[in-house]
Amino acid sequence: ATLASIYSAAVNARQPLEEVVPRRFPWCGDDIAAMSEIFKGYVARKRSHNLLDYDDLLLYWRALLDQPCGATMREMFDHVLVDEYQDTNSLQADILLKMRAGSDRLMVVGDDAQSIYSFRAADVRNILDFPSQHPACEIVTLSTNYRSVQPILDVSNAVIAQAKERHAK
């Protein structure tokens, strides 16, 4: 399970093992060379059996968008809506940029203050950088919270206010 997580993190973050392992899996730092060999074997075995894993689906989708048929693929979707955008990774964000290049038909929903997971190499930079990557976007802030009572919100907001970088709420 740990090897699968490391492999997926490297693929989705689009970073080499030498960067991913020390930052996210420091207890495995002495085994990078061995992991690299295991992952080469894993990729070779998938190819020899014509198999794809979930990470491959993202990689192939991303690569497909750069091919001549990518325009046809983009035209298949009138609009794209992504929920929990704060939990997307670099590869997923790049796919979305390619899917909606030159279009205003992309809507993302998310909250940078809820980016608490690093599941599949999620990166809060995606939601923080969204307005600069999509200058014509409109940010709609939902300010009513129906999930928590005010004392919990006050404490949460005080903690979040200390973030170096965030979207104002």
Side-chain angles (χ1 to χ4, degrees):
T2 301
L3 285 173
S5 294
I6 293 170
Y7 176 81
S8 186
V11 170
N12 284 277
R14 298 187 295 177
Q15 296 175 343
L17 288 175
E18 292 77 14
E19 291 179 27
V20 171
V21 171
R23 191 177 66 253
R24 297 200 45 214
F25 305 91
W27 62 92
C28 299
D30 293 339
D31 301 314
I32 291 174
M35 283 186 280
S36 181
E37 290 304 310
I38 290 168
F39 297 154
K40 286 177 189 173
Y42 174 63
V43 170
R45 186 167 175 94
K46 286 189 299 182
R47 284 189 182 148
S48 72
H49 289 84
N50 295 316
L51 298 172
L52 300 174
D53 61 18
Y54 181 75
D55 301 316
D56 292 328
L57 295 176
L58 293 174
L59 289 170
Y60 278 79
W61 186 2
R62 167 62 186 78
L64 184 65
L65 291 169
D66 282 337
Q67 300 302 313
C69 62
T72 302
M73 187 175 192
R74 282 187 285 279
E75 292 170 7
M76 293 172 63
F77 300 91
D78 291 333
H79 297 83
V80 176
L81 167 64
V82 180
D83 193 15
E84 303 294 346
Y85 192 70
Q86 76 276 359
D87 293 330
T88 59
N89 60 48
S90 170
L91 180 56
Q92 293 165 332
D94 196 32
I95 289 168
L96 289 169
L97 282 172
K98 299 265 182 208
M99 285 287 296
R100 299 296 358 132
S103 169
D104 62 353
R105 296 175 294 171
L106 171 63
M107 178 179 177
V108 302
V109 177
D111 184 353
D112 56 304
Q114 291 186 32
S115 182
I116 58 174
Y117 301 107
S118 58
F119 177 69
R120 300 195 73 80
D123 187 352
V124 71
R125 293 276 9 131
N126 291 338
I127 196 163
L128 292 173
D129 295 343
F130 190 86
S132 64
Q133 293 171 338
H134 303 274
C137 79
E138 177 183 350
I139 297 175
V140 176
T141 303
L142 304 178
S143 58
T144 304
N145 186 312
Y146 297 100
R147 292 185 186 175
S148 300
V149 295
Q150 197 58 49
I152 291 174
L153 291 172
D154 291 341
V155 170
S156 299
N157 288 333
V159 171
I160 292 166
Q162 310 222 4
K164 294 178 185 174
E165 191 175 2
R166 62 187 173 92
H167 289 298
K169 308 285 189 291

